[in-house]
Amino acid sequence: MAERGIDVLLLSVGADLPYLTGYRAMPLERLTMLVLPGDGPAVLVVPALEAPRVTPRPDAFVLEAWEETEDPVALVAARCGAARRLAVGDTTWAVFLLALQERLPDAAFTPASTVTGELRLRKEAAEVDLLRRAGAAVDRVVARLDGARFSGKTERQLAAEVAAMVVEEGHEASAFSIVASGPNGASPHHESGDRVISPGDAVVLDFGGRLQGYHSDITRTFFVGDPPPRFREVFAAVQAAQEAGVAAAGPGVPAQEVDRAARGVIAAAGFGPFFMHRTGHGIGLEEHEAPYIVEGNTALLEPGVAFSVEPGIYLPGEFGVRIEDCLVVTGEGAERFNRAPRDIHFAV
Ligand code: ZN
Ligand code: ZN
Ligand code: ZN
């Protein structure tokens, strides 16, 4: 904070707060905010009715519970005192930031990621271990889906089954589960719906959960029945692109080189325009966090940096294919968190 010229860090909803305190604020209308000055004790301002959710950490912060008739913004402002350079959590609700700005007219606000971004970017060994365990858990879900019956189920039904398996395999919660069948597979973030899966469908399954706060995220593409040559051709391009992306990952490599490696394979196969999203995103306490694996991101990867490599090809009106693993950069290259086979998976 001193290096970045920040007097006080203010953290609310989002991952920075659990990163520093172990407590995740409820994303509701009552303000929770950690007031962390550069010197002096940190104070966690929390609604009285949510105070019992907080595991006390006297070494880390003092708890200040506010009653229903109190004004929590006034409490936070009082704790800020004469501080003028405030960093506020990136995902803090606008309504609270606006109220704070009104109460502290002389203060300058910057995003907290100015300070927390670098801390969270390089995962510590214990964090890598949780990401590894979460990755192994979704691998087990993939194994349970191999050869399973998809036909006759709606996307929504299958998505619910996958979400339940994510929890059964050791996550505390499912974070998301995308089931995109047939032509719906051409929409990368498809909202699983009422379409009934049937033989001849390609099905993109993208899912993950949270294990002790840390996320898993995996995509595998299934086929119901015997895939036609066109599907096999597209699949082979995505598979080679994913391998190339992972192979490019390592310490000292600009993030955009991983994207270029994967994208180059797909472009060479003639499907360049049908891969319209970045190659990956960081993963940790958030499903999507820095670094973003995209053209233009010249930041160098370092040991401990964890992210996804998930190229895809999306053919409107036909089908989609995506393959996604998460990995962490090591001293020499990268270690994948996902080991489930990366070839075509089959369902009936
Ligand atoms: Zn995504
Ligand atoms: Zn995913
Ligand atoms: Zn992802």
Side-chain angles (χ1 to χ4, degrees):
M1 286 166 65
E3 227 173 75
R4 305 287 147 93
I6 303 298
D7 299 324
V8 177
L9 196 57
L10 299 172
L11 300 179
S12 183
V13 174
D16 287 348
L17 181 60
Y19 181 76
L20 291 179
T21 66
Y23 181 67
R24 200 173 274 268
M26 293 187 82
L28 295 172
E29 75 287 2
R30 292 183 180 92
L31 178 65
T32 295
M33 189 163 264
L34 182 77
V35 183
L36 173 65
D39 45 17
V43 178
L44 183 62
V45 175
V46 65
L49 82 166
E50 290 166 16
R53 304 175 74 240
V54 181
T55 305
R57 289 274 308 276
D59 58 318
F61 58 84
V62 176
L63 200 63
E64 181 170 5
W66 59 273
E67 303 295 336
E68 295 285 52
T69 54
E70 287 186 280
D71 175 1
V73 171
L75 294 178
V76 169
R79 290 287 181 178
C80 289
R84 286 295 166 264
R85 298 170 303 176
L86 309 182
V88 63
D90 294 22
T91 54
T92 300
W93 285 15
V95 69
F96 296 126
L97 175 58
L98 290 168
L100 276 165
Q101 286 178 322
E102 205 173 301
R103 236 172 227 285
L104 300 168
D106 299 328
F109 289 85
T110 48
S113 54
T114 314
V115 175
T116 58
E118 267 186 64
L119 297 175
R120 286 182 43 204
L121 188 66
R122 289 181 286 268
K123 270 65 183 176
E124 292 168 17
E127 298 181 280
V128 171
D129 194 53
L130 290 173
L131 288 167
R132 204 181 271 134
R133 282 169 54 193
V138 282
D139 281 356
R140 293 193 294 274
V141 174
V142 171
R144 287 173 63 177
L145 291 166
D146 278 327
R149 172 158 296 278
F150 285 10
S151 39
K153 289 177 182 166
T154 66
E155 293 176 342
R156 208 191 307 276
Q157 285 170 331
L158 185 56
E161 289 176 21
V162 169
M165 289 183 205
V166 163
V167 173
E168 286 161 15
E169 294 300 335
H171 294 81
E172 63 231 17
S174 153
F176 63 95
S177 89
I178 297 172
V179 175
S181 67
N184 290 341
S187 166
H189 274 177
H190 173 66
E191 176 84 30
S192 309
D194 293 325
R195 186 177 183 279
V196 176
I197 302 168
S198 56
D201 280 350
V203 185
V204 179
L205 286 172
D206 183 353
F207 54 91
R210 217 168 59 221
L211 194 152
Q212 289 180 39
Y214 284 80
H215 284 87
S216 57
D217 185 2
I218 190 171
T219 307
R220 291 295 184 265
T221 302
F222 284 67
F223 202 90
V224 185
D226 191 21
R230 178 157 167 87
F231 177 83
R232 289 185 181 278
E233 179 200 355
V234 170
F235 190 93
V238 174
Q239 192 176 23
Q242 209 265 350
E243 287 299 328
V246 172
V253 175
Q256 68 179 6
E257 289 302 330
V258 175
D259 182 84
R260 287 178 181 178
R263 199 167 301 280
V265 172
I266 288 177
F271 294 105
F274 303 104
F275 175 25
M276 73 300 234
H277 59 72
R278 66 190 177 209
T279 290
H281 54 82
I283 188 153
L285 284 168
E286 291 175 285
E287 314 155 29
H288 287 190
E289 60 181 46
Y292 296 100
I293 308 302
V294 64
E295 181 70 33
N297 185 357
T298 56
L300 304 185
L301 300 173
E302 298 172 69
V305 174
F307 57 88
S308 71
V309 176
E310 49 178 309
I313 293 176
Y314 308 93
L315 302 174
E318 293 185 71
F319 60 84
V321 173
R322 180 166 67 255
I323 302 171
E324 172 180 27
D325 289 325
C326 290
L327 54 75
V328 64
V329 176
T330 63
E332 303 81 43
E335 174 200 331
R336 294 196 220 226
F337 298 136
N338 303 108
R339 308 278 164 86
R342 289 167 206 97
D343 32 37
I344 303 173
H345 289 254
F346 293 97
V348 296

